[in-house]
C-alpha cells in the first residue's frame, strides 16, 4: 500500500461537547492504523477517540504548516483563512 495523507481528529467523549475536541493532525502513512501509529511516534496524539479520513483528492498535498503537528481550533481557523470568533 502506498503512503497517503491522512486527517485525524481527536475527541474526548467524556467531556462536554464544547471542550471535547482535542485537536486534529495530518500525517502521511500507509493505512489508517499506520496513521494512528505515526501520530503516536510524532507525539501529536492527545488520546481519546479518533476519526480518520484519507485525503483522497488526486495530487492533494496539505499545506506545510498543517502537517505532522497537533492543530487546535485557532490553527484550523487560520488554515481556512478565517477566524473562529
Amino acid at each position: 500500500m502506498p503512503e497517503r495523507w491522512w486527517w485525524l481528529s481527536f475527541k474526548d467523549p467524556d467531556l462536554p461537547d464544547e471542550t471535547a475536541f482535542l485537536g486534529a493532525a495530518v500525517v502521511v502513512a500507509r493505512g489508517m492504523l499506520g496513521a494512528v501509529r505515526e501520530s503516536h511516534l510524532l507525539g501529536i496524539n492527545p488520546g481519546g477517540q479518533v476519526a480518520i479520513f484519507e485525503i483522497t483528492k488526486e495530487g492533494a498535498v496539505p499545506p506545510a504548516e498543517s502537517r505532522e503537528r497537533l492543530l487546535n481550533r485557532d490553527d484550523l481557523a487560520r488554515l481556512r483563512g478565517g477566524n473562529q470568533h
Side-chain angles (χ1 to χ4, degrees):
M1 170 180 265
E3 288 188 331
R4 304 224 187 274
W5 288 104
W6 296 87
W7 173 271
L8 293 80
S9 181
F10 302 96
K11 174 183 178 178
D12 184 336
D14 297 325
L15 294 176
D17 285 344
E18 61 273 3
T19 58
F21 176 73
L22 301 177
V26 178
V27 299
V28 67
R30 289 184 171 88
M32 287 191 290
L33 293 177
V36 173
R37 185 173 35 252
E38 186 67 13
S39 72
H40 281 287
L41 291 172
L42 292 169
I44 58 174
N45 186 322
Q49 294 178 342
V50 61
I52 307 170
F53 303 94
E54 182 180 353
I55 298 174
T56 59
K57 184 176 178 185
E58 187 66 34
V61 177
E65 64 270 18
S66 71
R67 296 182 221 155
E68 300 179 330
R69 68 186 196 93
L70 188 62
L71 303 163
N72 62 32
R73 288 182 191 276
D74 290 335
D75 296 326
L76 296 175
R78 274 192 298 279
L79 288 168
R80 283 192 298 265
N83 65 45
Q84 71 180 58
H85 305 291

